[in-house]
Structures are given as C-alpha cells and as structure tokens.
Amino acid sequence: MRYLQSLISIFLLLAATAGAGSFTAEMDVDTYMDAANASQSFSDNDLLWATSVGGEPAKEVYLSIINILGSQGVFDPEQIDSATLTVDAAQVERPGKITAYFLHGATFDAATWSDKEDYDNSVSSQTIDISQEKSYTIDVTDIIKKAVETCTEGCPYSIVLVAEDDASVAFFSSESSEGEEPTLVYDTIE
C-alpha cells in the first residue's frame, strides 16, 4: 500500500511541475537592416548594428525566433515567469539606449529596410543603456508573453532591437566566431 501511495504522490508531483521549466529558444535568422542601404540584406554579417541618427532609427536588429511554445506546453501568457535576451556588444561607436520590441512574424535572411515589417511599439522591454563592449541582458518577459498570446500554435515571431539617443552599437551575430550570438531564455510556471 505504501508503494502505491508513493507512486501516486510522485505522479501528482510530476503532473504539478510538468509545465514548469527553463527553455532556450532557437534563432532562425539574425540580421540588421540599414536605412542608408535600404535594398541590401545583412544576414551574413558578423555584427548586428542598432543605430539611431538625429533621434530616428537608422539601423535595426531583427532576431527571428523559432516558435515551439505550444510543444513545450505554453498556451497561456501567464505561464511565462520571466524571459531574457542576452546580447554581446562587440563595438560601441556611440553609447546610448537600446529597446527591444515584439514583431509578429518571421524575419527572413533576405529582408531589407525597404521591405521590413513594422514592429509593435506597444510591446517592448525596458530600455537598457549600452556604454561598453560586454554582455547585456534585456528583460523581454512582456515580449514573450505577447508571443504566447499571439502565436502559441507555432506562428513565427521576432524581436527587434532599436537604438535611441543617437546610439550606435554592434552586437555579435550567429555568424561571428568571436563573441556569443544573441540568446533568448524563458522560464515557465505551471
């Protein structure tokens, strides 16, 4: 009888924590787009540039995420406990602020400034200050919650990094052999 009670207790404990975990999302495409080179694609570059000139974005970083939220049992935005995007600043030409935004849809490796999709400026991270070449962590919990709300069943989404305050920063891409590529990690609760 004790064996049966222990087995039932273990089963109930496993069932209670089945949805909880920590997951690293896989990037499909990481690229940037440049207003000065509006018809050129930069998906093969070692660096991803986020630049603002005169208070207006001139280069934006697009990170297309492979969406497997549904297969991980994440169907409700409230299941997302936290989410962080880690990026390594490779060059800081002009320090300043960077904000991450949600984009419903994939970003393709041939994407250019001329045909880029508009990100949702109502769903963003807190702004972070980039001042030196090092690793930075951005809290993107609200963005991942929006991804769950918008496309649990597998539709793609992207995270867009936008510079403010005339900042000009380059982050290592997945093509780089020197630094770490952008990494998205999210923790779930049941």
Side-chain angles (χ1 to χ4, degrees), residues 5-171:
Q5 288 175 332
S6 296
L7 199 55
I8 291 172
S9 296
I10 290 171
F11 175 74
L12 291 173
L13 181 62
L14 288 173
T17 60
S22 183
F23 303 95
T24 301
E26 189 174 338
M27 298 283 168
D28 185 26
V29 171
D30 59 350
T31 188
Y32 76 94
M33 297 172 204
D34 183 350
N37 296 289
S39 61
Q40 187 174 347
S41 170
F42 296 95
S43 62
D44 292 334
N45 281 33
D46 292 346
L47 300 177
L48 304 168
W49 284 95
T51 302
S52 178
V53 176
E56 294 296 319
K59 295 178 185 175
E60 298 172 342
V61 175
Y62 283 70
L63 308 171
S64 187
I65 313 296
I66 296 174
N67 184 350
I68 56 172
L69 293 163
S71 67
Q72 294 166 335
V74 181
F75 298 102
D76 181 347
E78 295 309 310
Q79 287 178 268
I80 300 295
D81 185 41
S82 65
T84 56
L85 175 67
T86 303
V87 291
D88 281 2
Q91 294 179 27
V92 180
E93 285 186 351
R94 292 186 311 273
K97 299 180 184 309
I98 301 288
T99 304
Y101 293 93
F102 173 75
L103 171 64
H104 180 200
T107 300
F108 299 104
D109 56 3
T112 67
W113 188 273
S114 295
D115 59 18
K116 72 182 177 86
E117 297 291 325
D118 291 330
Y119 54 84
D120 184 343
N121 62 11
S122 69
V123 182
S124 66
S125 69
Q126 292 291 320
T127 300
I128 63 165
D129 287 311
I130 306 286
S131 59
Q132 58 184 312
E133 297 167 3
K134 68 174 194 171
S135 183
Y136 291 88
T137 301
I138 305 169
D139 182 346
V140 293
T141 304
D142 290 342
I143 293 171
I144 303 308
K145 284 184 176 193
K146 183 67 174 182
V148 173
E149 178 187 317
T150 306
C151 38
T152 298
E153 295 304 319
C155 68
Y157 65 95
S158 299
I159 296 175
V160 182
L161 301 180
V162 180
E164 301 173 19
D165 297 339
D166 293 337
S168 184
V169 179
F171 301 101

